[in-house]
Structures are given as structure tokens and as C-alpha cells.
Amino acid sequence: MQITSAMKMVSAAKLKKAQDAITAMRPYSNKLTELLQNLSATLDADSGSKYAEQREIQKVLIVAVTSNRGLAGAFNSNIIKEVTHLTNETYATKEVSYLAIGKKANDAFKKTNKVIADKSELYDDLTFDNVSEIAEMLMEKFVSGEFDKIEVVYNHFKNAATQIVMTEQFLPIVPVETDDNVNLDYVFEPSKLEIVEELIPKSLKTQLYKGIRDSFASEHGARMTAMHKATDNATELRDQLKLTYNKARQAAITNEILEIVGGAEALNN
């Protein structure tokens, strides 16, 4: 009980920092993604939109974002379950590979020999620059044709008690469905090509970083909730054991008193 209570307090302290980070980042990330999708709707084939290229899906890469440690309830198992569902149902006829971010994902899928990389060490220093390296690798693999579609599966942080499993298409970029009455004509300065080459990679890096940050906050929320329940269960078990112990002790004392009284009565007679 003391161990789970201490783990709950540690996760609560880490959660505050992780929650502040993802809450501050979401508006920027969402607006950048919206801008990217609107921009991609205006691009033509010759404007350098290599990240928006739609081709026949044969090879799929699933980026599974879990944690390095357990004791977080269903946090990791929900991700593994969703990735397994995508593999066996959605992409049953496709060639599926995995990129593991977190030891739990690597442990779950390494037996399939389809894990192209294990990036569990990312959590040792979770920064935008380190996530950018992974995003650049994913972009390179898509552009080279090694994969036709890349999905990211992670836990979206709603609150400390609730995490929602999300599956987001990383590449190719999903163009936004626009209303015909909405004017999406942009004035590009300095040029459309330069904007595309700068904005799209930055947006993709931000999207991946947001997903991993979301998962990081969700992990501490899930662990805090799991350890809180474990502490409550341990407290209840302790109380039950204490009651059982006291009853047994009371029964033993009563028996000893009865034996003493019985012996005294026998001596008097």
C-alpha cells in the first residue's frame, strides 16, 4: 500500500508538468494542422506536395506509442489491442510493419519480426528535436516509396482518469474536405514551393510531437489512477486482515480465559 501510494504521488507530480506541456501545445498544433490541410487542398501535382501523394496502399507502417514501464492499468494494452486490430482487420491484406516508441510496444511486436525500429530511448530525453529525427525518418521512408501509408496510434489525454486511443494518419497528408463556398485562395510569400517545403515538414514534426506528448501525459494520468485504485484496494484488504486478526486474537483470548476459569472451578470443586 505504501509503495502504490508513493507511485501515485510521483505520477501526480509528473502529470502536472506533462499536462501543462500538452495543453499549451495543442492550440498551436491544431491550428498548424488545419493550415496544412487547407494548404494541401490548394496544391497541384507540380507544387512539391510529395507528402500528399495518394498511391495504392500495399505497405503500411504503424507507429505504436506506448510507455517503457507498466503498472498503468490498460494504458499499454489498449494500444497493443488497437494495433493488432488494424493489422488483422483493416490492413489484413496489406504488408504491415511497426515502429515502436516505448518498450511495451517493442516487446509486444518484436516476435513478428516486423519492427523496423525501437525508439524506446526517446523518453529519456523527450524533446522536439529528438522527435523531429523520427519524423524525418518517417517522411523519408514515405517519399522513397518504402511505405504507402503511415499511421500513428497513441493515447489522447482527456483527463487524469480518461485516455482515448487515437489512430491518426501521418502520411500521406489528409486534405481537408472544404465547402465549395469557402475561398481557400492564398497569397504565398515568398512562393508556394518555399512555403510547402518549410511548412509541411514542420507541421508533420509538430503533429508527431503532439501525439507523443499526449501519450506521455496519458501515461502518468493512467498510472496515477491505477495506483490510486491499487492503494484503495490495499487499504481495504489491510482493514479486512486487521479485522480478521482481531477476531482471531479475541477468540484466542476468550478461549484462554475459559480455560483459566474452568481450571479454577475444577480446583474449587
Side-chain angles (χ1 to χ4, degrees):
M1 184 182 70
Q2 289 178 344
I3 291 173
T4 55
S5 178
M7 292 182 67
K8 171 191 168 184
M9 293 175 64
V10 170
S11 290
K14 291 182 178 179
L15 172 63
K16 181 65 171 67
K17 185 177 179 181
Q19 183 177 354
D20 290 344
I22 187 60
T23 302
M25 182 182 178
R26 270 182 190 156
Y28 172 76
S29 174
N30 293 340
K31 190 64 181 177
L32 191 59
T33 301
E34 178 188 343
L35 180 61
L36 172 65
Q37 291 176 336
N38 289 337
L39 178 62
S40 65
T42 70
L43 299 176
D44 53 52
D46 299 325
S47 61
S49 58
K50 55 187 177 183
Y51 301 115
E53 180 185 352
Q54 302 287 336
R55 48 186 185 245
E56 185 181 355
I57 299 173
Q58 295 295 334
K59 297 181 179 180
V60 179
L61 176 64
I62 300 177
V63 181
V65 185
T66 62
S67 66
N68 285 340
R69 296 183 298 151
L71 297 177
F75 174 81
N76 291 311
S77 60
N78 285 341
I79 295 295
I80 294 169
K81 190 183 300 182
E82 178 63 19
V83 173
T84 303
H85 172 76
L86 288 173
T87 303
N88 297 334
E89 301 292 335
T90 308
Y91 302 119
T93 60
K94 314 299 181 185
E95 184 179 334
V96 180
S97 300
Y98 310 104
L99 188 146
I101 299 178
K103 290 180 181 177
K104 294 300 178 180
N106 185 57
D107 291 344
F109 300 113
K110 66 181 180 182
K111 296 178 182 177
T112 64
N113 295 321
K114 294 181 180 179
V115 178
I116 64 168
D118 175 20
K119 298 296 182 179
S120 303
E121 72 282 355
L122 178 66
Y123 292 113
D124 297 335
D125 186 18
L126 183 53
T127 63
F128 181 79
D129 289 339
N130 289 337
V131 174
S132 295
E133 294 178 5
I134 300 175
E136 287 172 359
M137 180 186 73
L138 295 176
M139 288 185 276
E140 183 181 332
K141 289 183 178 297
F142 175 78
V143 172
S144 66
E146 188 173 340
F147 296 104
D148 303 311
K149 188 176 184 180
I150 299 177
E151 301 255 42
V152 180
V153 183
Y154 67 96
N155 278 292
H156 169 73
F157 178 80
K158 184 176 181 182
N159 54 53
T162 307
Q163 298 82 37
I164 304 170
V165 176
M166 300 287 289
T167 301
E168 288 186 356
Q169 182 171 316
F170 185 70
L171 286 168
I173 297 168
V174 183
V176 67
E177 296 182 3
T178 58
D179 190 342
D180 293 336
N181 297 325
V182 178
N183 184 11
L184 288 179
D185 288 334
Y186 291 98
V187 175
F188 295 96
E189 179 67 34
S191 72
K192 177 182 287 191
L193 182 59
E194 289 181 65
I195 294 293
V196 167
E197 289 179 346
E198 179 69 25
L199 181 62
I200 289 183
K202 183 176 182 179
S203 177
L204 289 171
K205 292 173 184 178
T206 304
Q207 179 185 344
L208 183 62
Y209 183 57
K210 191 232 9 167
I212 296 175
R213 269 288 175 192
D214 240 337
S215 178
F216 189 62
S218 297
E219 175 192 349
H220 292 305
R223 182 169 290 111
M224 188 184 77
T225 303
M227 292 301 99
H228 176 72
K229 292 179 180 178
T231 302
D232 288 347
N233 292 337
T235 303
E236 184 180 346
L237 181 60
R238 181 200 61 181
D239 293 342
Q240 291 176 352
L241 290 173
K242 186 181 290 186
L243 182 61
T244 303
Y245 168 76
N246 288 336
K247 285 182 178 179
R249 181 169 172 268
Q250 186 179 20
I253 293 172
T254 303
N255 288 333
E256 289 179 6
I257 293 174
L258 290 174
E259 288 175 3
I260 293 171
V261 172
E265 288 292 328
L267 289 175
N268 291 335
N269 293 332

